[in-house]
Amino acid sequence: MTENRVLLEINDLCVKYGAIPAVKQVNLRLYQGEIVALIGTNGSGKTTVLRTISGIVRASQGNIRFEGSEITKLEPHRIVQRGISHVPEGRGVFADLTVLENLKMGAYIRKDKAAIRQDIEQMFSLFPRLAERKNQLAGTMSGGEQQMLAIARALMARPKLLLLDEPSMGLAPLIVKEIFRAIRSVNREGVSVLLVEQNTKMALAAANRGYVMETGSIVVQGDAEELKNNAVVKTVYLGMH
Amino acid sequence: MFLQQLVNGLTIGVIYALIALGYTMVYGILKMVNFAHGDIFMFGSFLGLFFMKHLHMPLYLAFLLSAAATSAIGVVIERVAYRPLRTADRIVPLISALGVSTFLVSLAQKLWGTEMHPFPTAFGRGTVTVGSITFSEIQILILVLSFILMLGLHLFVTRTKTGTAMRATSMSLTNAALMGINTNHMISLAFAIGSALAACAGIMVGIYYNAVYPTMGYMAGINAFTAAVLGGIGSIPGAMLGGILLGVVENLGGAYISTQYQSVISFTILIIVLMIRPTGILGKKDINKV
């Protein structure tokens, strides 16, 4: 892990839905090669932070910089071209497209056909279940399989940064383990990860560092090891007493 | 008699289908009914007429140029009248569409008058008899060209990257944008294709009935919209099926019951189908698995 280069930098970010503030003065750094966990309860603004990074939601204040240049006002498709892929909450697979078509859509911004074919094979080795189902419509698969597809699809763009929104949501523990194993393996290959999770234990086990959000603000931050032992995190998020 | 009526019904059915595709593609992505689409069809017909009558172009060139010009009109309409209202309440772009519809009809009346214009082509008046069925040349043109256009569209949306991206966009604008798809381009493309198909339908209808007039888009639009709903709005194969079904039922009803009741019959069918399947024959419910 190279801890020196800042990949993503969020400065004083504020986001409002109408008059209601969802994100308040958030500052966050992600260094190249890191897995950073963004944890917190439901409605604390984690998803909004991710959606603002990828341009689906607009910041009302503050800025977001990626590899040194500002991306705050770019359209979502431009942000993908910069090297950020977002796996949205609820997976967002294209239900009426096949697994293969979904993967090809993930590679929409690329033109290198031969390399795309290779990457599809690589996704199939990362998630062998997808290979078995490559001609099946994505909407007919189980939640876990859809999550694997959503991650694989995002990787097809060859991102530098992967935004993951609740990859464990609603999934059986065994599947969650498989997905986290894949996240770690992808990270080892050089993809940085910003991980939003309610499963604090899994998230902190995988992450290098973490931020804890509460009602739109970051309340605690630090190394993952440190956070695991933090009193607030322990009682509120890890359920220990 | 039955086969003849079936062929007549198919002829008008494929026309409905071509127009219905424009409604369904736009609805599929924007969840908005483009009420000006019937008038875009009318404009396509007039442009075809203009290219042939005043610029003395051959029929095929009139088709090509009218399709190109009409798709540009469709793209501009979306850009000017719908895109600025995209985040507004759903009723707002609908009102805007009605405004565009009135504008197009008035513009056509201003440019070409309110009367009916005959289509200046010798083509299509001859007939071919196969067994007990008589095809007019224009019927053959309509059936063949519509089939080619629909097959072309089907191959485009299922086999090409851009076509797949268009389908992905209709499943979710947000998730398509997250793939790096410029969703505004996909929306423009849906308007362009829908308008080009409507223009081809407009020229064929103009020749078939030998009449082009500013309000011709009204009934054609309503029937094609009905076809799109019948087949399942948002579904491309649905629009094709709905159009053909509606044309055939309308014609058989007209032949065996009464031509006076044609519309009554088609709307009765629509009501029955919607009572049994509220999403139309091939329409899907919006169920998102969580």
Side-chain angles (χ1 to χ4, degrees):
Chain A
M1 201 179 72
T2 47
E3 276 244 19
N4 39 19
R5 207 173 131 229
V6 178
L7 188 64
L8 180 79
E9 194 183 340
I10 299 178
N11 300 309
D12 295 323
L13 183 73
C14 297
V15 185
K16 286 178 183 162
Y17 290 122
I20 303 154
V23 171
K24 297 176 256 184
Q25 299 279 323
V26 162
N27 287 285
L28 186 149
R29 301 261 171 299
L30 188 145
Y31 296 91
Q32 180 115 38
E34 270 191 317
I35 297 182
V36 169
L38 186 55
I39 56 183
T41 50
N42 223 344
S44 58
K46 313 182 296 293
T47 293
T48 305
V49 169
L50 288 198
R51 291 169 69 89
T52 314
I53 297 170
S54 53
I56 305 167
V57 172
R58 289 288 160 214
S60 56
Q61 255 183 69
N63 64 69
I64 301 169
R65 301 173 78 82
F66 184 68
E67 294 188 305
S69 57
E70 186 165 349
I71 58 164
T72 325
K73 290 185 175 66
L74 291 184
E75 287 179 275
H77 69 272
R78 298 267 174 229
I79 292 171
V80 179
Q81 287 166 1
R82 291 288 177 98
I84 301 180
S85 282
H86 182 168
V87 179
E89 193 177 13
R91 294 132 207 163
V93 297
F94 299 115
D96 292 333
L97 297 187
T98 65
V99 168
L100 209 54
E101 285 173 323
N102 267 279
L103 291 174
K104 284 180 182 162
M105 284 296 104
Y108 184 80
I109 58 169
R110 295 170 54 190
K111 304 253 184 287
D112 45 344
K113 281 190 177 169
I116 290 173
R117 267 195 301 275
Q118 277 178 13
D119 283 5
I120 289 176
E121 289 310 315
Q122 210 190 326
M123 291 309 139
F124 287 158
S125 60
L126 185 66
F127 298 115
R129 284 160 180 253
L130 295 182
E132 295 162 26
R133 304 189 182 284
K134 65 179 174 187
N135 294 315
Q136 196 173 320
L137 292 182
T140 63
M141 299 198 302
S142 73
E145 288 159 349
Q146 288 191 18
Q147 187 63 62
M148 293 172 195
L149 176 59
I151 294 172
R153 187 183 62 174
L155 291 171
M156 286 301 296
R158 290 200 172 167
K160 295 166 188 152
L161 173 63
L162 187 63
L163 309 177
L164 290 170
D165 198 347
E166 304 267 4
S168 77
M169 192 171 67
L171 304 182
L174 220 60
I175 307 282
V176 174
K177 266 189 188 155
E178 193 176 339
I179 282 172
F180 270 86
R181 200 179 307 132
I183 294 170
R184 282 199 201 90
S185 131
V186 163
N187 178 250
R188 270 195 303 275
E189 314 244 314
V191 180
S192 308
V193 178
L194 179 55
L195 172 67
V196 158
E197 257 303 341
Q198 292 206 50
N199 187 337
T200 309
K201 202 175 164 191
M202 286 301 280
L204 289 180
N208 306 104
R209 290 187 307 116
Y211 291 79
V212 181
M213 272 187 95
E214 240 168 55
T215 59
S217 306
I218 288 179
V219 290
V220 184
Q221 57 174 297
D223 287 342
E225 281 305 315
E226 230 173 276
L227 287 180
K228 277 185 225 165
N229 299 316
N230 179 292
V232 180
V233 177
K234 257 183 162 168
T235 48
V236 181
Y237 302 103
L238 293 172
M240 296 178 204
H241 298 281
Chain B
M1 160 86 172
F2 175 77
L3 284 177
Q4 184 67 54
Q5 290 305 329
L6 195 66
V7 167
N8 293 348
L10 268 178
T11 309
I12 200 68
V14 291
I15 295 277
Y16 288 159
L18 286 183
I19 310 171
L21 284 166
Y23 282 107
T24 227
M25 283 193 288
V26 166
Y27 186 90
I29 299 180
L30 292 178
K31 308 288 173 262
M32 170 214 155
V33 180
N34 177 15
F35 276 121
H37 189 59
D39 307 298
I40 291 174
F41 151 88
M42 172 274 292
F43 239 84
S45 191
F46 263 113
L47 287 173
L49 178 70
F50 174 79
F51 289 131
M52 289 185 79
K53 196 167 151 186
H54 297 285
L55 304 179
H56 308 289
M57 287 179 180
L59 184 60
Y60 76 92
L61 214 56
F63 267 110
L64 280 175
L65 289 179
S66 167
T70 310
S71 61
I73 293 173
V75 169
V76 170
I77 288 172
E78 187 273 328
R79 196 63 244 258
V80 174
Y82 305 150
R83 192 176 298 180
L85 307 172
R86 203 175 292 157
T87 51
D89 205 76
R90 276 179 74 167
I91 194 85
V92 178
L94 225 57
I95 307 268
S96 184
L98 290 174
V100 171
S101 166
T102 310
F103 172 79
L104 289 177
V105 172
S106 305
L107 183 63
Q109 286 172 342
K110 182 87 188 153
L111 290 172
W112 298 298
T114 53
E115 70 274 18
M116 285 192 186
H117 300 259
F119 222 94
T121 176
F123 178 83
R125 309 293 173 226
T127 57
V128 178
T129 305
V130 182
S132 62
I133 313 165
T134 305
F135 293 92
S136 64
E137 279 173 12
I138 177 64
Q139 277 187 315
I140 296 173
L141 174 79
I142 290 174
L143 290 168
V144 171
L145 183 60
S146 303
F147 179 75
I148 292 171
L149 289 172
M150 287 193 269
L151 182 69
L153 179 68
H154 174 76
L155 292 176
F156 170 72
V157 297
T158 54
R159 303 283 167 86
T160 69
K161 182 175 163 182
T162 309
T164 310
M166 215 170 99
R167 279 192 295 148
T169 306
S170 79
M171 288 169 214
S172 164
L173 267 172
T174 305
N175 293 332
L178 291 181
M179 299 299 107
I181 296 168
N182 184 336
T183 50
N184 279 331
H185 286 178
M186 292 301 143
I187 291 166
S188 294
L189 188 62
F191 272 87
I193 295 174
S195 303
L197 294 176
C200 293
I203 294 174
M204 291 192 285
V205 165
I207 301 174
Y208 193 45
Y209 295 117
N210 200 24
V212 180
Y213 52 100
T215 52
M216 69 189 280
Y218 179 68
M219 267 322 282
I222 287 188
N223 283 326
F225 176 62
T226 305
V229 174
L230 183 66
I233 193 149
S235 159
I236 288 176
M240 297 179 186
L241 182 69
I244 290 168
L245 203 67
L246 189 70
V248 168
V249 167
E250 201 182 83
N251 234 271
L252 293 180
Y256 291 100
I257 303 170
S258 157
T259 47
Q260 307 260 319
Y261 286 109
Q262 266 189 354
S263 297
V264 176
I265 295 158
S266 35
F267 284 104
T268 307
I269 299 284
L270 177 72
I271 292 168
I272 292 169
V273 168
L274 290 185
M275 278 184 342
I276 302 166
R277 276 189 69 90
T279 51
I281 301 169
L282 298 179
K284 285 215 177 77
K285 278 190 204 130
D286 277 332
I287 299 174
N288 289 317
K289 219 171 171 183
V290 177

